[in-house]
Amino acid sequence: MTIFKKYVLILLAVSSSYLLNAQDTTPIEYAKYPLKLSLGNHVVGFPLENLFSSFNPHLSIGTERGINKNQKHHLFVAASLGFFRNKVIGNTLFLDLDLGYRFTHKRGLYVETSLGLGTLNQYHPRATYQQNTTDGSYKKRNNKGFFASSIALKLGIGYDFSKKSNLPVRIGIHHNAFIQTTYFDVDNFPIMPQSTTNISITYKFKKS
Amino acid sequence: MRFIFLLIITLFMASCAKDNITLENDVDCTSDFQDHPKASALQAVADQYANDGFVGMTLLIDHPTDGLWMGSGGYASIENDTKMNPCHIHHTASLYKIYIATVIMQLVAENKINLNDPLSNYLASDITDRIPNGSSVSIKNLLQQRSGIPDIFEVAFITDFFNNPTKQYTIEELLEYVYDKNPLSAVDTEFHYSDANFSLLTLVIESIEGNFIQALKTRIFEPLNLTDTYFLENPTQTPVGLADSYWDRYGDGNIENNSDIQVALTAGLSGSDGILTTANDLKKFMQALTNGELVSNLALMTDFLAVPQEVQDREVYSGYGMGLMKVNISGEDWYGHFGNQIGSGAIVLYNANKDITFVALQNTGTFFSDEIKSKFFYQLLSDLEAIIL
């Protein structure tokens, strides 16, 4: 608990030093690749459905690169690498590439949307067996996972502190709806709709 | 002394092993039925399927001249290295519909139900007002799957299932999946297979008999002495001898044990599932039904109406009566039902022309695998017909 308090105090001190520097109006140049961390919950369902019907932690790290220089209407490409833990459909590692648009109000509030393509490796949530067809016996298999692709639509809203201060941080809430293009071997349910709802923090490094 | 103690413990544990199950079956579970003229060919089919995507398979054929044959292939439990035995107990999924239809027909014979009565004569308006076509649908429409009511087990249920696969539902909670939806057709105009029809019939039985599980027991299980047939009310109270359940999730030959989920579904899908049984008990039930011991008007139940061609192409059966499917793969008419679940599959069929009863019970999920489903509900009967007819 004491350690936790210590970290909170350090965080507050760092944040306030940035906020106090808000008086300094010299524009700050940021490096091209900010660092984005997201933490949230993964569920099975269509967009905005079943958001918290089960608890499956989701974590990702990513970055983005601007396509245009317009800070109000910003087009960007983003990449993220992440993991979600889901005991029912299987723990999953994923890599997403997105093309996005962000509108940022001069006061710092922003909304964004993006379309993405992804690839994922989903691990069987339980032990798996494969049959030896010569004698019909079963042998436990290594869980190397199952490779699939995904298509995503992402929506987000948040606040960019750097618009009104020198704090080079953007925070947001994001809903990422995606469909996994292969799951079951059935015609009537060929895709697995899923979503994650996350809070994110994006840190923009200063240009050296 | 220590040796004797260990010996006693070992013998005791061996007697409890699942592959030595001793059930109440009135058949010898260990017999290889070698006196049966087609024993080796039939056993070869069980072995072949157990070597081709199915973890375990039990088959039963009761033929008027060849006699009874039962056999198994594969495993009841991979983890425990337990071979499938003809007396293992299995999940039966939608075979439930035959049992419910049977009780309804008994209530009709007792003048407690009229088939042409509207559903609203038996259920409260807070249910019928929210059921598509709820004000006009009759008991007969529900039995014939011609109510126009959508199915419960569609995408919304499936996504909920993957967030909470062991949830236990009441019938009313399952009906929420069809409440206030548009009907798929007007009443008695089209066939649409829907578990909601039999959930509502279950509620009709409850409205008359008080408790539908008790009605199943007193009207079917007990009179027929089906001592290895159970209604699973609680997922923690599975009977000894229940085969484990498996699925090939991605259709890539990797088998996972999903027994906990399958057991939860059998117990938790009230009004759509719940019966666990053996091949022999299933045979006894089907023969009692077909020889008129259970219902007096079997002709009504077997008055099959053709199902749409796309259903025939996808689901194999060609007609539907009242809780009974009609199947014709290579010119021979059979009737009975299929049970399609995530960790099991069940078939019971009767050939009225040749007086043959056929039961197949297996423990690999058919619901999420078109390949397994097609092999089990189509190819298996086709292979067996070549031997037994």
Side-chain angles (χ1 to χ4, degrees):
Chain A
M1 194 61 193
T2 321
I3 294 170
F4 178 71
K5 276 183 186 168
K6 200 170 147 187
Y7 278 115
V8 170
L9 284 172
I10 291 169
L11 192 67
L12 284 173
V14 173
S15 310
S16 19
S17 73
Y18 276 110
L19 290 170
L20 288 171
N21 284 339
Q23 307 302 325
D24 180 2
T25 51
T26 316
I28 299 170
E29 279 205 74
Y30 293 109
K32 281 177 184 167
Y33 297 102
L35 177 69
K36 182 180 178 184
L37 291 171
S38 298
L39 179 66
N41 193 42
H42 167 268
V43 292
V44 174
F46 288 98
L48 302 172
E49 273 185 3
N50 302 333
L51 295 188
F52 302 103
S53 57
S54 57
F55 176 63
N56 308 295
H58 166 273
L59 181 71
S60 73
I61 183 168
T63 190
E64 67 179 48
R65 167 106 196 234
I67 295 174
N68 65 347
K69 298 212 177 211
N70 187 328
Q71 290 305 303
K72 191 174 177 185
H73 299 282
H74 191 54
L75 287 172
F76 61 91
V77 286
S80 59
L81 180 68
F83 172 81
F84 60 80
R85 182 174 176 276
N86 189 312
K87 286 193 288 185
V88 182
I89 70 161
N91 297 340
T92 304
L93 273 172
F94 63 87
L95 175 67
D96 283 350
L97 292 172
D98 302 302
L99 176 64
Y101 164 76
R102 181 181 303 117
F103 169 80
T104 308
H105 189 267
K106 60 186 177 186
R107 290 180 187 276
L109 198 67
Y110 74 85
V111 289
E112 68 178 37
T113 182
S114 61
L115 284 171
L117 291 174
T119 182
L120 55 87
N121 199 53
Q122 200 156 57
Y123 295 90
H124 284 266
R126 294 148 190 247
T128 58
Y129 303 90
Q130 199 153 44
Q131 192 172 38
N132 177 345
T133 48
T134 53
D135 67 358
S137 66
Y138 283 87
K139 194 176 170 187
K140 216 170 196 173
R141 259 181 71 92
N142 288 335
N143 194 352
K144 291 177 185 166
F146 172 80
F147 196 69
S149 53
S150 64
I151 302 166
L153 171 66
K154 305 183 179 184
L155 301 169
I157 185 167
Y159 186 77
D160 188 342
F161 286 94
S162 66
K163 292 290 170 193
K164 299 294 285 180
S165 74
N166 289 340
L167 185 65
V169 165
R170 197 167 58 230
I171 57 166
I173 299 173
H174 298 260
H175 182 68
N176 306 337
F178 64 99
I179 49 174
Q180 185 175 328
T181 52
T182 24
Y183 199 83
F184 292 116
D185 170 32
V186 284
D187 287 342
N188 59 358
F189 199 73
I191 57 158
M192 181 62 91
Q194 297 162 65
S195 73
T196 62
T197 304
N198 308 305
I199 51 169
S200 72
I201 181 163
T202 306
Y203 186 85
K204 296 187 260 188
F205 296 99
K206 277 184 191 166
K207 214 170 195 176
S208 51
Chain B
M1 186 62 189
R2 185 181 288 176
F3 173 74
I4 293 169
F5 177 73
L6 284 172
L7 185 67
I8 291 168
I9 292 288
T10 309
L11 288 172
F12 175 74
M13 289 180 75
S15 72
C16 295
K18 272 188 171 178
D19 47 353
N20 290 331
I21 53 168
T22 309
L23 302 178
E24 301 293 332
N25 269 282
D26 48 9
V27 292
D28 180 2
C29 298
T30 58
S31 169
D32 57 8
F33 291 89
Q34 278 307 313
D35 293 339
H36 191 281
K38 289 162 184 164
S40 53
L42 292 168
Q43 184 59 52
V45 172
D47 291 337
Q48 175 204 327
Y49 277 78
N51 225 352
D52 187 22
F54 295 87
V55 174
M57 170 82 71
T58 288
L59 301 175
L60 179 151
I61 307 284
D62 196 13
H63 190 281
T65 52
D66 293 345
L68 176 71
W69 179 87
M70 284 201 306
S72 295
Y75 291 84
S77 171
I78 295 172
E79 292 81 356
N80 297 327
D81 198 26
T82 308
K83 296 281 186 185
M84 185 68 83
N85 176 309
C87 294
H88 269 107
I89 297 168
H90 291 260
H91 300 267
T92 62
S94 282
L95 268 52
Y96 173 82
K97 292 179 177 68
I98 315 181
Y99 294 82
I100 287 299
T102 300
V103 175
I104 291 282
M105 295 307 284
Q106 289 176 343
L107 293 169
V108 169
E110 293 162 17
N111 294 318
K112 292 177 179 169
I113 291 178
N114 186 318
L115 284 176
N116 295 314
D117 276 350
L119 178 64
S120 53
N121 278 17
Y122 304 95
L123 301 187
S125 59
D126 58 344
I127 294 175
T128 54
D129 287 352
R130 297 189 63 195
I131 290 287
N133 290 337
S135 58
S136 52
V137 70
S138 71
I139 301 299
K140 186 177 177 183
N141 302 145
L142 296 171
L143 283 165
Q144 292 180 318
Q145 308 263 25
R146 292 173 67 82
S147 65
I149 301 171
D151 198 2
I152 293 166
F153 303 114
E154 297 289 350
V155 173
F157 175 85
I158 292 171
T159 56
D160 287 349
F161 164 76
F162 279 103
N163 290 308
N164 189 358
T166 55
K167 182 175 175 178
Q168 300 296 288
Y169 294 88
T170 63
I171 295 175
E172 288 79 1
E173 283 171 334
L174 286 171
L175 288 173
E176 288 282 347
Y177 286 97
V178 301
Y179 277 162
D180 308 320
K181 282 192 171 175
N182 291 325
L184 298 174
S185 64
V187 166
D188 203 21
T189 56
E190 292 177 16
F191 171 87
H192 294 283
Y193 188 92
S194 169
D195 277 87
N197 291 328
F198 282 77
S199 299
L200 291 164
L201 290 167
T202 305
L203 290 178
V204 169
I205 293 171
E206 288 221 314
S207 74
I208 295 163
E209 297 282 275
N211 180 308
F212 78 94
I213 299 170
Q214 199 53 37
L216 288 170
K217 287 178 180 170
T218 56
R219 288 174 171 274
I220 301 174
F221 300 174
E222 290 165 11
L224 298 180
N225 198 28
L226 303 181
T227 48
D228 295 325
T229 300
Y230 302 87
F231 194 93
L232 188 66
E233 295 181 63
N234 184 328
T236 62
Q237 293 170 351
T238 53
V240 173
L242 176 65
D244 278 354
S245 298
Y246 297 86
W247 65 358
D248 180 356
R249 184 190 290 256
Y250 302 129
D252 59 359
N254 290 310
I255 300 289
E256 279 176 72
N257 187 319
N258 63 2
S259 301
D260 57 334
I261 300 175
Q262 178 58 80
V263 162
L265 287 173
T266 299
L269 298 183
S270 298
S272 299
D273 204 326
I275 294 174
L276 303 172
T277 193
T278 58
N280 192 54
D281 266 13
L282 201 44
K283 178 208 76 173
K284 283 161 68 176
F285 165 63
M286 194 64 185
Q287 290 181 344
L289 178 69
T290 54
N291 68 22
E293 277 179 60
L294 289 172
V295 295
S296 54
N297 201 342
L298 185 64
L300 257 182
M301 287 180 81
T302 55
D303 183 13
F304 296 103
L305 296 173
V307 300
Q309 191 59 46
E310 73 258 22
V311 176
Q312 296 189 33
D313 294 343
R314 196 180 62 240
E315 306 289 342
V316 180
Y317 59 94
S318 57
Y320 206 90
M322 292 185 181
L324 290 169
M325 294 169 170
K326 179 181 167 189
V327 179
N328 188 320
I329 290 176
S330 47
E332 283 290 333
D333 281 345
W334 298 79
Y335 65 81
H337 219 283
F338 296 155
N340 179 15
Q341 254 293 8
I342 67 150
S344 64
I347 301 174
V348 62
L349 292 173
Y350 178 69
N351 183 320
N353 290 333
K354 297 195 162 70
D355 189 26
I356 303 170
T357 308
F358 162 52
V359 175
L361 297 169
Q362 57 85 13
N363 59 343
T364 307
T366 49
F367 191 87
F368 284 123
S369 171
D370 283 346
E371 187 186 350
I372 296 284
K373 187 175 169 184
S374 167
K375 277 185 193 169
F376 185 58
F377 295 123
Y378 175 79
Q379 192 60 45
L380 176 63
L381 180 61
S382 178
D383 288 348
L384 287 169
E385 280 185 332
I387 298 169
I388 60 178
L389 292 179

